[in-house]
Amino acid sequence: MRASGRVDRRGLLKITGGSVAALGLTAAGCGTGGGSADGTVTIRYAWWGADDRAKRINKSIELFEKKHPKIKVKTDFQDYVAFWEKFQTQAAGGNPPDVFQCAIAFLRKYDKRGVLLDLKQQVDAGNLKMTGFRSGLEKVGEVDGKLLGVPVGSNTMSLVIDEKVFEKAGVTPKQGWTWDQYFAALKKIRDTQHRAGDSGYFGVMYLYDLYLRQQGKAFFTEKGLGFDEADLREWWADGYAAVRSGLVADPKKVVQIAPKSAVSDGMAASEFTWDNFSVRYDSEGDSTYGLAPVPTTDGEKTGQYLSSLMLSASARTKYPQQVAQFIDFMVHDPEVGKIMGYDRGILATEAQYKAFRPSDPVNKAIAAYEEKTAAAGVFGPVTPHPAGADTVEAAFLRIGTDLGVGKTKTADAVRQFFSEAKSALAG
């Protein structure tokens, strides 16, 4: 059975984890999926994404079922918000999908509740290979000695720029440029091109994480937050000052044009986002857009790491071997790589990465950006997020937006964030 659904990107950015925070259960030995008299088993696979992703995944599953005729895959997908709402209901009822799309923000949360299968036993049994991954990605799904997720793609934070505006302003971003140089560039763009230089960097949690990592800190530690109120007060105060000076676009106007980007709208000349999200700008705008390096504190460290969508498995599945074989096929098979392309980020394994070589300029640029960033030696390990991280991320975006549009003051926003974060991380 093939389900259908549509992605809500605005919801994806704003609701990370909202409704799943209350989930609490302990996994038992009962399972999902189903079997038949001839030994054929059916496993359930669920994910979030748009219709195009569903078409690609369904085509990949057809290949898998030809190679494994005794394993059938029943699929289900929705947009991001609906996916997690449904997952909460299924998991609470003891009937989660056998295998499902996941991300680092959810690993500790659902492991704590006994939802996730430790896949290390399947690696040891030879049903799942954790070799041949790019840039250390095989470690991304490891939490507290367990293998809770297997990467299917990678992405990293980047600075998307309107190349025509930067060129007219005489600004050329280079690897290792500093935050001082970045803000000088925004000022030059404002003064010569009469538009904001940035769309609103201070509300991007993952950018703030990089900034903290450049200073030897991090947004999250394994148990909580890796920064204090003084750190955030400085970040948000500087960001709000940049809005008042015109270096950053007016958040009220940015909200009004959403979900369209302020960069593709022509309101701002740059925007921090994940590199694989850059495909949106060509379709939304009428300029030319490129990927520039993340600014640094010391001219060297960007704080970057490779993040990833993953495939995780249910601790309740009756068919751990078949689930592991399915995951292995989806992340290693070269034909799957050709079918999926960069839909979920740059392909995670070398076999799939080599099998798919993009022909369009945008995806070529994304691949080139990750290759150049890797060659610069700036990638570091990502800290596994603590349980409740998804709710904290949503709070950071919401409160940062309220600050930007003038609904709250910096000191109040900081106090509110830490109060909500403390509650979320204590659950």
Side-chain angles (χ1 to χ4, degrees), residues 30 71 80-81 101 103 119 136 144 181 220 246 279 339 377 380:
C30 57
I71 307 174
Y80 184 85
V81 178
Q101 190 168 285
L119 290 162
D144 302 329
Q181 291 172 320
F220 289 117
V279 297
I339 293 169

Side-chain angles (χ1 to χ4, degrees), residues 225-304:
L225 298 178
F227 61 101
D228 57 28
E229 292 191 18
D231 293 322
L232 183 56
R233 192 178 302 114
E234 179 183 28
W235 176 260
W236 271 347
D238 288 350
Y240 194 44
V243 171
R244 294 197 303 271
S245 68
L247 296 182
V248 171
D250 183 345
K252 293 179 181 178
K253 294 180 179 179
V254 173
V255 170
Q256 288 172 357
I257 65 168
K260 188 175 184 180
S261 163
V263 173
S264 49
D265 184 72
M267 187 184 302
S270 68
E271 181 168 271
F272 289 97
T273 189
W274 297 105
D275 57 2
N276 65 309
F277 284 8
S278 63
V279 297
R280 67 178 293 192
Y281 299 92
D282 278 357
S283 61
E284 287 183 353
D286 57 6
S287 188
T288 58
Y289 308 96
L291 294 169
V294 172
T296 70
T297 299
D298 62 1
E300 295 181 5
K301 296 188 295 290
T302 66
Q304 285 171 275

Side-chain angles (χ1 to χ4, degrees), residues 155-159 204 206-207 210 272-274 294 304 369:
N155 57 7
T156 190
M157 285 298 296
S158 67
L159 177 65
V204 184
Y206 288 101
L207 176 66
L210 300 195
F272 289 97
T273 189
W274 297 105
V294 172
Q304 285 171 275
Y369 176 76

Side-chain angles (χ1 to χ4, degrees), residues 223-406:
K223 296 183 179 180
L225 298 178
F227 61 101
D228 57 28
E229 292 191 18
D231 293 322
L232 183 56
R233 192 178 302 114
E234 179 183 28
W235 176 260
W236 271 347
D238 288 350
Y240 194 44
V243 171
R244 294 197 303 271
S245 68
L247 296 182
V248 171
D250 183 345
K252 293 179 181 178
K253 294 180 179 179
V254 173
V255 170
Q256 288 172 357
I257 65 168
K260 188 175 184 180
S261 163
V263 173
S264 49
D265 184 72
M267 187 184 302
S270 68
E271 181 168 271
F272 289 97
T273 189
W274 297 105
D275 57 2
N276 65 309
F277 284 8
S278 63
V279 297
R280 67 178 293 192
Y281 299 92
D282 278 357
S283 61
E284 287 183 353
D286 57 6
S287 188
T288 58
Y289 308 96
L291 294 169
V294 172
T296 70
T297 299
D298 62 1
E300 295 181 5
K301 296 188 295 290
T302 66
Q304 285 171 275
Y305 49 85
L306 287 176
S307 186
S308 177
L309 285 179
M310 309 176 199
L311 295 182
S312 293
S314 167
R316 292 176 174 261
T317 183
K318 292 179 181 178
Y319 309 111
Q321 176 182 332
Q322 289 85 349
V323 163
Q325 290 172 327
F326 175 71
I327 293 174
D328 185 84
F329 184 84
M330 295 297 279
V331 301
H332 288 287
D333 187 84
E335 290 303 313
V336 172
K338 292 178 182 178
I339 293 169
M340 294 305 303
Y342 292 167
D343 178 82
R344 296 174 296 189
I346 307 298
L347 293 155
T349 58
E350 290 290 351
Q352 291 191 345
Y353 180 74
K354 292 175 181 177
F356 174 76
R357 303 310 295 177
S359 57
D360 62 291
V362 175
N363 279 308
K364 282 184 176 180
I366 295 170
Y369 176 76
E370 285 200 14
E371 288 174 355
K372 290 169 72 173
T373 306
V378 298
F379 284 143
V382 57
T383 301
H385 292 15
D390 51 332
T391 305
V392 174
E393 178 184 350
F396 188 88
L397 176 61
R398 171 173 42 80
I399 296 169
T401 299
D402 287 346
L403 172 65
V405 300

Side-chain angles (χ1 to χ4, degrees), residues 53-70:
R53 177 174 296 176
K55 292 176 182 177
R56 294 172 186 271
I57 289 177
N58 287 334
K59 190 173 180 180
S60 300
I61 288 171
E62 289 176 5
L63 290 179
F64 174 78
E65 290 179 337
K66 287 180 180 179
K67 186 173 182 179
H68 299 272
K70 293 293 186 179

Side-chain angles (χ1 to χ4, degrees), residues 124-136:
D124 294 340
N127 298 319
L128 173 62
K129 298 187 297 295
M130 291 305 295
T131 56
F133 285 83
R134 298 174 45 248
S135 303

